[in-house]
Amino acid sequence: MRTDTPVTIHRQDYAPPAFLVDRVGLEFRLDPAATEVRARLALRRNPAAAADAPLRLDGDGLALQEARMDGTVLPPERLVFGADGSLTIADPPASGLLETLVRIAPEANTSLMGLYTSGGNFYTQCEAEGFRRITFFPDRPDVMSRYTVTIHADRLRCPVLLSNGNLVEQGGEGATHWVRWEDPHPKPSYLFALVAGDLVSVSDRFTTRSGREVALHIWVRRGDESRCGHAMDSLKRSMAWDEEVFGLEYDLDVFNIAAVSDFNMGAMENKGLNVFNTKYVLASPESATDGDWQGIETVVAHEYFHNWTGNRVTCRDWFQLSLKEGLTVFRDQEFSADMGSRAVKRIRDVRGLRAAQFPEDAGPMAHPVRPDSYIEIDNFYTPTVYQKGAEVVRLIHTRIGAAAFRRGMDLYIARNDNQAVTIEDFVRAMQDASGIDLSSFMGWYDQAGTPEIAAEDRYDPAARRYTLTLRQQTPPTRGQADKRPVPIPVAMGLLGPDGREQPTRLASENAAQSGTRTLLLEAAEQSFVFEDVPAPPVPSLLRGFSAPVRLRGVPRDRLRFLAVHDTDPFVRWESGQQYAASVMLEMVAAQQRGEALGFDAALAEAVANTLAAADADPAFAAEALVLPGEGFLADQMEIADPVAIHLVRRHLRAEIGRRCGPALRATYDALADHGPYRIDGASIGRRALRNACLAYLTAAGDTALAKAQFDAATNMTDSLAALALLADGDGPAREAALASFHARWRGDDLVLDKWFAIQAMAARPDAIAQVRALQAHPDFDLKNPNRARSLIASFAAGNPSQFHDLSGEGYRFLADAVIALDPVNGSIAARLVGPLGQWRRQSAARGALMRRELQRVLDTPDLSKGTFEKASKALL
Ligand code: ARG
Ligand code: ZN
């Protein structure tokens, strides 16, 4: 148990910084065991803060060697060290030059926050509060400074020395050399970066539309150069897209990306020097799946887009995190939609939102897009802040339209450039540019929980009048019992009995409109009256998923109708999924009662229809073929039953595989790739469809096909799809495939992660024994976040029927892993706690076992404050 209770930070307590730092000079003497960091801070009192506010500098684990103010050594009595690692300077002058020298040990830093080593090279990660592990500083985003960084290092060990901005000087003789970087743009400390080591670069150029020549470099370990092409290509396309769509140009002469295999997150947008998890840089057809390919495109774009939404305009405090993250996710989603199929991209994003954010919003960690309080900010880099935040930006985009949104972006940047601002500043710019009152949209930022909407309708044949009544309510979440209605744009249309889209005219309008229109549901209940409706229509609601809500109670016959006829591809997909989900939930209930499972022939019919029309859009067909996931179904139940859900899904897949066998096989055969391997939207779509067919055929008992595909595959997508199916089953094919995969890829970390993950997710009765054994495998490394996630998170989040085994052994495995990892890397440990927090949605027996493990985590001495926050909130 921790002996203290960590402090909770509240949004309402924001106060401006006591001191501003106009300029920062940093000088590093790099050494893995003892790096010296000299910092020169040009400080002055902030006129906006209290005149006697103390000069307090954040610090974390720093050993101060000396401190001077304006050249004079500060005596010990003027240096006050806080229990939290901070340093307060007594009797500070109104302005002055503070110089500190600290020593740190990068090679001992396993948290991967601050300055650390990976494979002998040096990297930093400062967001959110890592800079204080490098030097004493007011480590908060509203302190923006101009940085000059000098790096001294061993010439042989560290031939490459990088930091933010432009390289302005270099020199040195003998064994050490040095470089100086200068970043002309003021920035908060979380955007500082340093990368040093034996790296090689893949280089290219980009000319901005105003004619700036930008040198582009991707820095990797020797041997990885051939796998950077796609990342580079994605970068250039992102740069061009941001100019075209938002008029935003890059603002330095060089853009560096450095890839590192030990990294807590996906990537980081440090000014001019992005640092990436290798997972989002390196790809070759043999070693990366189509999903990896798309992930790289998205993450490269996301980090690049931060240059304006995040770096030039940044956050005043961490409660505003979604100001940059929600907006930047929205921008990367739009970019990817423009690069490929908009409909399929939207479907995938919604699938992701429902898989991660909806459960979060219904669980113990539910929080608003703009949280009110936190213990550890690292715990708030969540699907709510990112994905729901992006949905809220999309709501505003839908509400005011693309043209006004673009004007709003221009205004937002013009007003706030080089400043640290709040979500209100963003909404205000959108409001001023559009002339539309957006004040009620703040409800989306301030209320947690997923709004639910229900529709009721009435048709009056005599008056040819159709009345649609929409109701909304948001369930209570911790600390927010009563919710007010939020503005919900409902994109919709009406289909006639023949399945054709009808023109629509509201009673208040003179002329009918054709196609999709958007109703704005602002009150708890509102009715919309349509005139001149010739026959009772079927409403198509939430086209394109126009709001992140749950639409309840659409009758099954309408779902079937919409799945076939709607003009909106999202609603067609969605209706098919909701139909299947409703059938599956009924089957889960039957399973729980011990009844036979049976089969709804409409599901096989839907598969047959999808296959028959698949040629037109294979990627869409692949999305439509996949049954709703186990997590999605669990999220629909008051008390989940992961084992029954798994059985039902398995039963249905086998049943569909048998009934549609010939058609599935014909599609599978017709899609065989004979030409050279290509990665473009069409080819990716064909592989996705073919592998969806393979999954059904394998479920129906034909494992020979998966084995043949695995043996013949020349790309990772097909190889891994087949391996996952084999790993799920039994018999010699499974062991042989896993062994040959390991033998082939033992030298490739990113592929080995997949090998671990596939076994962790195999829904076999021996899964827990398998993951325990894999933890002892020589290739397993708890210290490497990708590897830890590939085994532990894949099992806990991706194998629900085994994780929730009634023995409680799955829970025990997870808690053991959290306890072991916490002292090594608290942020990754805290992230792993999540699945145990879902205990309220499980049976009483499972819930008790889950709580016991959460308590065991909490009872661990010296628990990190992040893991403490997750485990204690989960237990409340
Ligand atoms: N800003 C980064 C991104 O989303 C993520 C950094 C996350 N850091 C953290 N400590 N949680 O692009
Ligand atoms: Zn981001």
Side-chain angles (χ1 to χ4, degrees), residues 269 302-303 306 324-325 328 386:
E269 70 265 22
H302 179 95
E303 306 310 331
H306 268 315
K324 73 178 178 81
E325 296 304 346
T328 305
Y386 277 65

Side-chain angles (χ1 to χ4, degrees), residues 683-707:
S683 310
I684 291 175
R686 284 196 298 274
R687 281 191 287 275
L689 177 57
R690 189 163 187 260
N691 285 319
C693 293
L694 178 67
Y696 280 115
L697 292 164
T698 307
D702 183 0
T703 50
L705 203 56
K707 181 172 169 6

Side-chain angles (χ1 to χ4, degrees), residues 628-651:
E630 295 179 26
F632 178 77
L633 295 168
D635 184 48
Q636 315 286 304
M637 297 174 70
E638 198 73 41
I639 296 296
D641 187 339
V643 172
I645 289 172
H646 180 74
L647 284 173
V648 162
R649 199 163 183 276
R650 179 167 280 223
H651 166 82

Side-chain angles (χ1 to χ4, degrees), residues 69 187 281 578 602 757:
M69 185 65 82
K187 65 168 176 289
V281 175
Q578 295 292 356

Side-chain angles (χ1 to χ4, degrees), residues 116 118 121 123 199 218-221 224 227-228 230-231 257-268 275-284 287-288 292-293 295-296 299-300 748-751 753-754 784-787 789:
Y116 64 95
S118 169
N121 300 322
Y123 303 87
L199 298 167
I218 299 182
W219 299 92
V220 294
R221 280 178 308 208
D224 286 338
R227 292 195 287 163
C228 298
H230 179 56
I257 289 178
V260 54
S261 54
D262 292 288
F263 200 71
N264 282 348
M265 314 285 292
M268 180 63 212
V275 178
F276 271 60
N277 190 322
T278 44
K279 177 175 165 58
Y280 292 111
V281 175
L282 303 179
S284 69
S287 68
D292 295 331
W293 214 262
I296 289 170
V299 176
V300 167
D748 187 318
D749 285 340
L750 294 173
V751 183
D753 291 338
K754 302 177 191 304
N784 177 266
N786 287 358
R787 190 57 49 85
R789 279 188 285 255

